[in-house]
Amino acid sequence: MQKITASRILGLILISAAVSVASITSKSLWVDELGTWNISQAAPWSLWAQKLWNHFNSDGQLPVYHAFIKLWVDAGGDNTAYLRASNTPWLLLTLLGLLRLPLKNEKTAWLVIFFFCINAFTWYYLNELRPYIILQAGAAWFLVGTWRLAISPVDDHTTVDTSTREILLGIVVMIAGNILGAFWIASTLLAFLIFLPASLLASLKSLARNWWLTLAFVVVLGGMLVVAMHSFVSGARASQLAEFSLAGFGYGLIELTGASGLGPSRHQLRTDIANISWAQVIAMASLAGLIGVLTFASWLSIPKHKHKLLILVAAVLPLLIMIGVGILLHWRVVGRHLSVTFPLIAIALAFFAARAFDAGGRPWRKILVTGITIGLLCSSLTIRLAERHEKDDYAQAAQWAKDALAARESVLWVAAPEGLAYYKVATSVQDIPATPLLYTYSDFQARMPPDTWPTHIVKTYREGVDPKGLTDHLLASQKYELVGKATTFEHFRIKTP
């Protein structure tokens, strides 16, 4: 473990700020981000708590994360880049955890941070108003604590207590980021029970010694789980709008390697696979395959057999569970659902790089590490800059609606209503029905005058926006022509006679 000094903290702050500046943009919020923003708009706090309590989806299971976002918005507003910068403190916490890895060589710890920070997976989720960087922070501290516990003598109370505190912090932060972290927590406990039961018992004794910390942990975690269980019992379930597929699961694993920036976008792979660039696919698959091989090689190099098996059970068992749950519930598993394992990729690359550049390191290893580093940087820059990786362009869609309404022409909005509120087409989601000439897919049948047609239709092709196909007959009528396109959006206008 590296001692956390003021100079090291300052270095990590500068690194976190630099990576955030490089990756965070002010481009349009997409549908999931708009949902996060909308929850933060409830005021006062009593109304916010009521709204979250009755929000029956995955957001309703994350009270700590959404409380943090509300504090962030109350403190500085809701500018797009500022909203996404809420990830930066959690990135700093992640890097602090990685620096505490119980490694003999400080250089290797900094290499872990380096590979974590140049990865497109990190860049992608830093640039998203969602809780996946906080999930990384929890995963990093949980990993640090369990690693230290696994290699420490069971009678070293000081070290066991330190490990246990790190594990507790990791669990709380991980569950604050995503309830799916519970899969990895459970699989790790099972792995310790099978391969290192004495270490697990030592940690349980540490909980008894530090009862005050244990009590605080139980209260905080218990509160989060009560909210999550209430959401689940009230009907919140994983989205079933998209089926599980092994191809999608495989792409999720590619995302973990950081190679996805080199390939086609998720949207292209889902909606326009016939026209994707196979050169991009080959570049992405090559880098992902190479990183996968090096990760496997680093796992094979672990000296103790029981440690090797412990990592295998703790990291891989939840992936198998995800496949089973995805098949049974018809739930699409993507990279963010697997992201607790992401720090292991950075650690594996760091170990290989440290060996490559040690005295006597073979030239081919150095060439390989250099090539992977260049590939990861190119992938991250492409995620940041390439048009194909842009998300739903609600900003452009809202502008189309604004222009039409300013001309006193009617608009049917077939997209998330939160986009109308954020981009000031309507004052709030609740006020949309009172906005003249503006209709949404959920209310147009009731509100639109009989035998009339909206002048404009602004529609996104994200699944679930109009699950019953209520607006399909309008476009099938041949009365409309396509007049504009933006990422995942199309703008139609009624044909003039």
Side-chain angles (χ1 to χ4, degrees):
M1 178 181 72
Q2 313 308 316
K3 186 177 180 181
I4 306 299
T5 62
S7 61
R8 289 191 174 101
I9 292 176
L10 178 60
L12 293 179
I13 290 173
L14 293 175
I15 291 170
S16 300
V19 176
S20 296
V21 168
S23 58
I24 291 175
T25 75
S26 58
K27 293 180 180 179
S28 174
L29 295 183
W30 74 295
V31 62
D32 285 5
E33 293 178 291
L34 288 166
T36 302
W37 166 80
N38 190 51
I39 292 172
S40 74
Q41 298 304 293
W45 277 89
S46 57
L47 181 60
W48 171 87
Q50 181 182 4
K51 184 175 183 178
L52 189 70
W53 183 254
N54 294 302
H55 201 85
F56 303 136
N57 65 17
S58 60
D59 283 309
Q61 300 168 2
L62 304 173
V64 172
Y65 173 72
H66 285 291
F68 168 74
I69 294 299
K70 179 163 176 56
L71 285 170
W72 188 266
V73 170
D74 288 350
D78 61 0
N79 171 273
T80 304
Y82 173 76
L83 287 172
R84 290 167 175 162
S86 61
N87 287 314
T88 303
W90 301 111
L91 176 62
L92 175 61
L93 182 62
T94 306
L95 302 188
L96 279 169
L98 295 177
L99 192 60
R100 287 176 62 87
L101 286 168
L103 303 170
K104 297 178 182 178
N105 191 330
E106 181 178 356
K107 179 181 73 174
T108 306
W110 285 104
L111 281 171
V112 173
I113 290 171
F114 172 75
F115 282 110
F116 188 93
C117 287
I118 67 168
N119 196 292
F121 193 85
T122 301
W123 285 42
Y124 188 90
Y125 287 108
L126 269 173
N127 193 37
E128 187 167 285
L129 183 62
R130 297 297 292 155
Y132 301 111
I133 296 297
I134 185 175
L135 181 62
Q136 293 305 307
W141 282 87
F142 184 70
L143 173 62
V144 168
T146 52
W147 187 334
R148 193 186 319 283
L149 183 64
I151 65 175
S152 300
V154 294
D155 56 354
D156 184 351
H157 289 178
T158 300
T159 303
V160 170
D161 287 351
T162 297
S163 303
T164 302
R165 287 193 294 269
E166 292 166 337
I167 290 170
L168 296 184
L169 175 61
I171 289 175
V172 167
V173 175
M174 203 188 311
I175 297 299
N178 197 309
I179 197 69
L180 292 177
F183 286 133
W184 279 272
I185 295 167
S187 66
T188 303
L189 291 175
L190 175 63
F192 268 89
L193 183 63
I194 296 172
F195 302 111
L196 293 173
S199 296
L200 180 59
L201 180 60
S203 186
L204 293 175
K205 290 179 179 178
S206 175
L207 292 176
R209 282 195 303 273
N210 299 281
W211 62 268
W212 56 272
L213 180 63
T214 304
L215 179 61
F217 168 77
V218 169
V219 169
V220 173
L221 184 65
M224 289 192 290
L225 293 180
V226 165
V227 174
M229 288 303 299
H230 165 74
S231 178
F232 184 82
V233 170
S234 299
R237 297 291 186 274
S239 172
Q240 297 180 336
L241 296 171
E243 294 279 340
F244 173 84
S245 75
L246 284 175
F249 183 83
Y251 183 75
L253 296 177
I254 288 175
E255 284 186 287
L256 291 182
T257 68
S260 59
L262 299 180
S265 69
R266 300 179 190 185
H267 186 64
Q268 286 177 302
L269 289 169
R270 290 173 185 169
T271 63
D272 193 25
I273 196 167
N275 294 314
I276 61 174
S277 166
W278 287 103
Q280 293 172 2
V281 172
I282 291 169
M284 177 181 71
S286 298
L287 180 60
L290 186 56
I291 292 174
V293 168
L294 293 189
T295 301
F296 181 68
S298 293
W299 175 76
L300 287 177
S301 68
I302 296 172
K304 290 189 176 181
H305 190 60
K306 61 182 178 182
H307 289 164
K308 193 181 301 183
L309 292 176
L310 186 147
I311 291 173
L312 183 66
V313 171
V316 176
L317 180 59
L319 302 184
L320 300 177
I321 293 174
M322 290 281 186
I323 293 175
V325 172
I327 293 173
L328 289 173
L329 298 184
H330 308 286
W331 166 48
R332 181 170 61 201
V333 181
V334 295
R336 60 181 178 267
H337 300 138
L338 315 175
S339 60
V340 173
T341 58
F342 172 56
L344 294 174
I345 306 291
I347 291 169
L349 292 176
F351 271 100
F352 189 87
R355 291 179 61 189
F357 288 94
D358 277 346
R362 297 180 180 178
W364 69 268
R365 287 178 177 269
K366 296 177 183 177
I367 294 171
L368 198 55
V369 171
T370 302
I372 287 173
T373 300
I374 293 172
L376 287 173
L377 285 170
C378 290
S379 181
S380 295
L381 289 170
T382 308
I383 279 283
R384 168 66 174 80
L385 299 172
E387 184 177 349
R388 69 178 183 272
H389 288 296
E390 291 182 1
K391 302 167 188 175
D392 307 7
D393 196 348
Y394 271 82
Q396 177 60 71
Q399 190 60 51
W400 288 331
K402 278 184 183 179
D403 293 343
L405 294 173
R408 304 299 299 164
E409 296 177 334
S410 59
V411 176
L412 174 58
W413 178 265
V414 191
E418 292 85 356
L420 295 170
Y422 182 79
Y423 288 105
K424 305 296 189 291
V425 181
T427 55
S428 70
V429 173
Q430 291 72 29
D431 290 338
I432 291 171
T435 306
L437 301 176
L438 179 62
Y439 307 93
T440 67
Y441 59 92
S442 61
D443 67 12
F444 81 100
Q445 289 182 312
R447 291 179 51 224
M448 189 172 290
D451 301 320
T452 60
W453 299 75
T455 307
H456 298 264
I457 299 175
V458 178
K459 182 171 185 175
T460 178
Y461 288 93
R462 285 277 180 189
E463 67 271 3
V465 171
D466 183 10
K468 296 181 180 179
L470 299 179
T471 62
D472 291 348
H473 73 283
L474 297 174
L475 295 178
S477 69
Q478 305 298 318
K479 291 179 179 289
Y480 291 89
E481 59 183 342
L482 179 66
V483 294
K485 280 191 172 187
T487 306
T488 79
F489 274 93
E490 289 185 338
H491 176 201
F492 298 89
R493 194 183 192 286
I494 199 162
K495 295 176 183 177
T496 54

